[in-house]
Amino acid sequence: MDVIELLPRLHLLRFPVGQAYLWRDGRAGTDSGLTLIDAGPAGSGTPIAEALAALGHRPRDVRRVVLTHFHEDHAGGAAEVAALTGAEVLAHRLDAPHVRGEVPGPRPVFEDWERPLHERAVRLLPPPDFGHPAEVTELADGDVLDVGGGAHVVHVPGHTHGSIALHLPRHGVLFTGDTVAASPVDGTVMPGVFNLDRRQVLSACRRLAALDADVACFGHGDPVTTGAGRAMLAAAEAALRAEGDGTTGH
């Protein structure tokens, strides 16, 4: 797993499929509390613990794990991370039942060009750990968490019914989950793929762009570390034009 510093308080944790983010409050070297945004797939507990140690932290420094949605590459490691750290796991109320293993989540509505991409991603993921679901505290749109001077929960349905973004306005940082992504080919910002409702995702992209964050941390692809709001707005508008032209394939 790659560990990349984006800001003094913010690190990217990159898995073979997808990525998570580690946010630190307080001064470096203090037991001030860490927040993990997403938890990677099943089996991610040990790599995350090793990353924490390399950064000078202990597992118990992680106070909370905020899940942007229930998909396996983001929430599969949540129970293991919670067991290692004692952290609280949080997810939107509409995705929480899937994270807890109470009911299976709905499958994406694939566009034809997305199917081979999804098949390749699935081959890279470890088997899900259905036997150890996470306990989850439920979130709703507008909730404010004690992270980064106040982290605002933004409900952005479309990728899943309970997808959320997490906005830290004091720091100009936005965690988008899979609502927005960056192309692995050239880093172009784009709406996320493998959605339940693409039109909702495009609307959500515009809502997130309006927050005018400087830094955007995506579920897949390289983050944008300056002018993120403008980049997301341009991506949403380009995708809407393509929808109107009937040219949605990539």
Side-chain angles (χ1 to χ4, degrees):
M1 181 178 68
D2 295 329
V3 181
I4 301 166
E5 182 178 294
L6 303 176
L7 298 171
R9 296 178 182 274
L10 176 63
H11 285 79
L12 163 66
L13 310 181
R14 179 166 283 156
F15 305 99
V17 178
Q19 49 211 29
Y21 296 90
L22 185 69
W23 177 267
R24 175 183 55 78
D25 281 310
R27 300 187 308 277
T30 66
D31 184 16
S32 53
L34 304 173
T35 297
L36 192 65
I37 295 90
D38 288 328
S44 296
T46 297
I48 288 174
E50 291 171 349
L52 291 170
L55 294 171
H57 302 299
R58 299 159 296 181
R60 67 173 180 270
D61 294 338
V62 180
R63 305 291 176 79
R64 64 192 67 77
V65 179
V66 181
L67 301 177
T68 60
H69 60 292
F70 75 85
H71 285 164
E72 173 63 24
D73 53 329
H74 294 259
E80 183 181 0
V81 171
L84 284 170
T85 64
E88 179 183 23
V89 178
L90 305 98
H92 190 272
R93 62 178 183 81
L94 295 179
D95 273 18
H98 312 315
V99 178
R100 287 193 290 256
E102 296 169 355
V103 292
R107 289 183 56 79
V109 179
F110 293 111
E111 306 213 13
D112 289 343
W113 62 271
E114 293 178 334
R115 293 182 185 279
L117 300 178
H118 186 261
E119 290 169 1
R120 286 198 293 271
V122 168
R123 286 196 294 268
L124 291 172
L125 285 171
D129 184 5
F130 293 114
H132 298 87
E135 296 183 11
V136 181
T137 298
E138 297 186 0
L139 298 171
D141 186 56
D143 286 349
V144 180
L145 306 180
D146 185 20
V147 179
H152 296 247
V153 175
V154 185
H155 183 211
V156 282
H159 184 66
T160 67
H161 295 310
S163 285
I164 60 170
L166 197 66
H167 182 214
L168 280 60
R170 182 174 295 183
H171 299 275
V173 174
L174 177 67
F175 301 95
T176 71
D178 280 2
T179 298
V180 191
S183 166
V185 177
D186 59 9
T188 301
V189 178
M190 57 185 283
V193 297
F194 313 153
N195 304 306
L196 293 177
D197 188 323
R198 179 173 170 80
R199 295 295 296 186
Q200 278 193 323
V201 166
L202 298 185
S203 176
C205 287
R206 297 190 74 173
R207 182 183 180 193
L208 295 181
L211 297 173
D212 200 25
D214 201 39
V215 176
C217 299
F218 309 129
H220 299 271
D222 291 337
V224 173
T225 56
T226 184
R230 295 188 299 275
M232 289 189 292
L233 181 60
E237 291 180 343
L240 286 166
R241 287 195 298 271
E243 290 274 317
D245 295 339
T247 56
T248 58
H250 285 52

